[in-house]
Amino acid sequence: GLEAICNAIPGDPIPIACDGLDDDCDGEIDGSDLCRKAAYINVSAENVTELHVVNEDGNGRAFIATDIAGNDIKDVRWLYDGSLIVFNFGHGIFVALPDGSRITRVSGIGGRVGDTLPTPSPTEGLIAFVSDRDGLGDVYLVNSGRQRNIRRLTNLEREMYQLEWSPNGEVLAFIVSLEGGDCDILTIGKEGGNTTSLRDVFNVGSFGCFDYIRWSPNGTFLLYGSAGDIFRADLEMGEIRNLTNN
């Protein structure tokens, strides 16, 4: 008899969802080779940092890169579809295939600038990062594909500590330092424009500083840690709630 393997309507290619389903109706589980790998950093007995990739069953280990002259590998991320590993090495942002081949610099100009905090979009091939190439610190975007045009997103020239994409890949949230040791959380759309300050939105005189920021799955809340507590900022209602009250 006949057996339906997929009831989706054929259409334009979509990102691999890593959901264990045949989303593109080709008769195979999508991304079976890409969605079951883990990237990790190993520090050898000689204090050398190495980046590796391994299959979920512990086999198929691949060596990606090692530090050179003290340039540590850090901030390792996967591109949204699992096709590339994104990492910070020395003063630049690099990408590599999961098998360790085709390591390519996508940003950074030797030792003249510091590009850090690579943060891939959850929906497309954009990589956000922080750079001091035009001042103290600003957010930039670069495409992970062949046309790697770098675009400046902010014009703040401040210390920045974390980047977080909204779940739909349309907005970036990030922590900036202010005078007097205070901090703020700013958001900006991926097309640029003005930033939105949580201090202004919620009419807060001082936030102190933050341990981290995270988006809720539906993108309506920003969670952040501060002074040992977890707070939820409701972007639609304009309310902040302390979830832990430690």
Side-chain angles (χ1 to χ4, degrees):
L2 299 177
E3 180 182 357
I5 60 172
C6 179
N7 62 359
I9 299 174
D12 294 332
I14 60 175
I16 295 173
C18 290
D19 56 7
L21 301 176
D22 178 16
D23 295 313
D24 61 0
C25 276
D26 64 356
E28 298 180 359
I29 300 299
D30 299 337
S32 58
D33 57 337
L34 296 177
C35 298
R36 298 176 180 175
K37 293 180 180 291
Y40 66 96
I41 293 175
N42 178 67
V43 180
S44 69
E46 293 77 23
N47 203 32
V48 175
T49 304
E50 298 176 341
L51 175 60
H52 296 263
V53 170
V54 65
N55 294 336
E56 64 175 0
D57 60 4
N59 297 317
R61 184 175 286 104
F63 169 79
I64 307 298
T66 187
D67 65 5
I68 300 173
N71 291 319
D72 285 345
I73 299 168
K74 56 186 177 181
D75 297 325
V76 179
R77 304 285 188 272
W78 287 95
L79 203 63
Y80 75 105
D81 60 358
S83 60
L84 291 172
I85 303 169
V86 183
F87 58 98
N88 187 194
F89 176 66
H91 296 279
I93 311 301
F94 290 75
V95 297
L97 291 177
D99 63 1
S101 63
R102 298 186 184 180
I103 297 178
T104 306
R105 180 196 293 267
V106 297
S107 82
I109 311 170
R112 289 181 290 166
V113 300
D115 293 348
T116 60
L117 301 178
T119 310
S121 163
T123 60
E124 57 184 317
L126 287 176
I127 302 170
F129 64 96
V130 172
S131 177
D132 62 2
R133 62 184 59 211
D134 294 308
L136 186 58
D138 272 296
V139 180
Y140 293 76
L141 293 179
V142 63
N143 197 299
S144 61
R146 292 185 177 181
Q147 300 297 323
R148 298 192 177 98
N149 296 324
I150 294 177
R151 177 163 57 93
R152 186 174 182 175
L153 203 61
T154 65
N155 189 16
L156 300 171
E157 297 189 11
R158 292 185 178 275
E159 293 283 352
M160 299 181 180
Y161 300 104
Q162 187 180 352
L163 297 174
E164 285 288 324
W165 285 96
S166 61
N168 63 6
E170 293 296 321
V171 179
L172 273 161
F174 50 97
I175 301 171
V176 297
S177 65
L178 305 177
E179 294 181 1
D182 207 0
C183 293
D184 196 0
I185 298 175
L186 304 183
T187 61
I188 190 170
K190 69 176 182 180
E191 300 303 327
N194 295 326
T195 59
T196 299
S197 160
L198 262 67
R199 284 167 58 112
D200 295 341
V201 169
F202 297 101
N203 194 26
V204 176
S206 175
F207 269 129
C209 229
F210 309 97
D211 302 316
Y212 56 85
I213 51 174
R214 298 287 189 275
W215 288 91
S216 65
N218 61 7
T220 59
F221 303 135
L222 266 174
L223 303 175
Y224 63 89
S226 179
D229 278 311
I230 301 173
F231 295 82
R232 186 187 72 181
D234 188 327
L235 302 180
E236 293 185 348
M237 301 299 294
E239 298 174 348
I240 293 179
R241 179 181 177 186
N242 189 330
L243 300 180
T244 51
N245 290 303
N246 288 331

